[in-house]
Amino acid sequence: MTTTVKTPVPAVAAWQIDPAHSNVEFAVRHLMISTVKGRFGEVQGMVTMDEADPTRAAVDVTIGTASIDTRVEQRDQHLRSPDFFDVEHFPAITYRSRRVEVGADGGLRVIGDLTIRGTTREVALAASPEGRGRDPWGGERAGFSATAKINRRDFGLTWNQVLEAGGVAVGDEVKISLDVELVRQAAQAA
């Protein structure tokens, strides 16, 4: 009688973003003296992870531009206008990873294509795992945080106003901060 021993195959799992427990936030200088922060309330997407090789992960995220919220409705309306996001013609921001690198410290660097207003640029996210575990309903969840900096002008967000005292109304550098909770959907053989 022969016994067959199966070699374990690394599991690739699909994880869906839980929009109710995820935040996509940004910060930009205002009048050269303070920072305005805002968020997008509509985020969805999938992350595919290989348990044995984090560099094989894939990220695909869509953010609804109309869901922008800076806590000032007049400013939000201006940001939705053709001066900024032009939500009528560009209803979504997308991010699709190209590759993932693992740093010496164990941190992740996700390099991918960020598309805003129909313009796509490569953007690297510094990402780190925040934890993983079972939820009360028997599902598995994982948390990740990520940050990046972009120049808004690279994406056609060029509106500005020169100030009488010098400087501009809106800074060019935008700091992006993400806190994402993922729900495991399925596992399959690699």
Side-chain angles (χ1 to χ4, degrees):
M1 180 166 157
T2 60
T3 305
T4 305
V5 177
K6 291 186 178 184
T7 305
V9 177
V12 174
W15 298 74
Q16 185 172 347
I17 292 175
D18 178 353
H21 297 102
S22 297
N23 290 305
V24 176
E25 300 174 327
F26 63 89
V28 64
R29 297 290 287 168
H30 178 251
L31 301 178
M32 310 303 289
I33 59 171
S34 67
T35 299
V36 169
K37 295 181 178 182
R39 64 181 297 273
F40 290 94
E42 183 184 310
V43 58
Q44 59 186 349
M46 296 293 290
V47 176
T48 305
M49 292 188 283
D50 183 324
E51 299 294 331
D53 184 1
T55 65
R56 292 186 56 205
V59 178
D60 187 351
V61 179
T62 301
I63 299 163
T65 52
S67 70
I68 195 166
D69 178 13
T70 64
R71 299 181 312 151
V72 177
E73 186 56 35
Q74 184 177 358
R75 179 171 50 217
D76 294 345
Q77 288 301 326
H78 189 205
L79 290 169
R80 291 180 187 114
S81 80
D83 284 344
F84 286 95
F85 290 104
D86 193 3
V87 301
E88 185 177 330
H89 295 103
F90 304 101
I93 295 169
T94 61
Y95 185 82
R96 290 183 176 79
S97 65
R98 289 186 187 181
R99 67 188 181 280
V100 177
E101 300 169 351
V102 179
D105 63 353
L108 302 173
R109 189 167 179 256
V110 182
I111 297 95
D113 292 327
L114 177 64
T115 303
I116 302 173
R117 284 185 58 113
T119 300
T120 302
R121 298 280 187 260
E122 184 176 274
V123 171
L125 297 169
S128 60
E130 297 296 331
R132 188 167 164 176
R134 293 260 174 223
D135 62 28
W137 308 278
E140 188 174 357
R141 293 182 180 251
F144 288 86
S145 63
T147 59
K149 291 181 185 177
I150 63 169
N151 185 319
R152 67 186 182 90
R153 294 171 122 0
D154 291 345
F155 296 91
L157 299 168
T158 59
W159 183 92
N160 221 333
Q161 188 172 9
V162 177
L163 303 175
E164 190 176 306
V168 291
V170 183
D172 288 338
E173 182 181 86
V174 179
K175 296 176 183 175
I176 299 168
S177 174
L178 304 123
D179 290 295
V180 180
E181 187 170 307
L182 305 171
V183 180
R184 187 177 183 133
Q185 298 300 297
Q188 49 187 294

